[in-house]
Amino acid sequence: MRIPEVLVIAVAFVVGYWLVSVLLPLLRGRGQASAPAPDMAAPAPAGATPPPRWFEVLEVDEQAGREEIVAAYKRRISQYHPDKVQHLGPELIALAEQRAREINTAYDTALQLRGAR
């Protein structure tokens, strides 16, 4: 490829990126008045699957020690930290908050079962 071809590709990439960054927020703004997603709008029905157990949420063995539980908690909760998801859409922020609550509940349960905090 020659220099003019590379320049044309680079300019097209920059213009395309700019268009997407301008148009995407405008399109997202139209959908904000819609109803929330069905999985977040109401609690699960009585016949739904039970919530995952603490060791499944933290992704550790059921017999894991305190150190392993703490390390798994830190690893999992860092994925859903508010600073890491603040730039995402409102639906994903709500999902991250829900997952963070699940992780915190699993962590509290695990430490209570281990008898130490």
Side-chain angles (χ1 to χ4, degrees), residues 48-87:
T49 59
R53 295 180 287 190
W54 68 268
F55 54 89
E56 293 170 344
V57 173
L58 295 177
E59 296 178 352
V60 295
D61 185 52
E62 190 173 6
Q63 303 302 322
R66 187 177 194 283
E67 296 82 19
E68 190 177 350
I69 292 170
V70 171
Y73 168 76
K74 289 179 181 179
R75 182 179 63 249
R76 296 281 291 148
I77 200 68
S78 71
Q79 297 172 346
Y80 301 102
H81 193 275
D83 291 341
K84 290 191 177 186
V85 297
Q86 71 182 3
H87 66 283

Side-chain angles (χ1 to χ4, degrees), residues 5 7 10 13 28 31 35 37 50 54 65 77-78 90 109:
E5 294 171 335
L7 287 176
F13 178 79
R28 283 186 179 169
W54 68 268
I77 200 68
S78 71
T109 302

Side-chain angles (χ1 to χ4, degrees), residues 9-60:
I9 291 171
V11 169
F13 178 79
V14 170
V15 170
Y17 180 81
W18 178 78
L19 280 173
V20 169
S21 66
V22 169
L23 294 177
L24 195 59
L26 293 175
L27 294 174
R28 283 186 179 169
R30 291 183 186 172
Q32 288 182 353
S34 65
D39 62 337
M40 295 169 37
T49 59
R53 295 180 287 190
W54 68 268
F55 54 89
E56 293 170 344
V57 173
L58 295 177
E59 296 178 352
V60 295

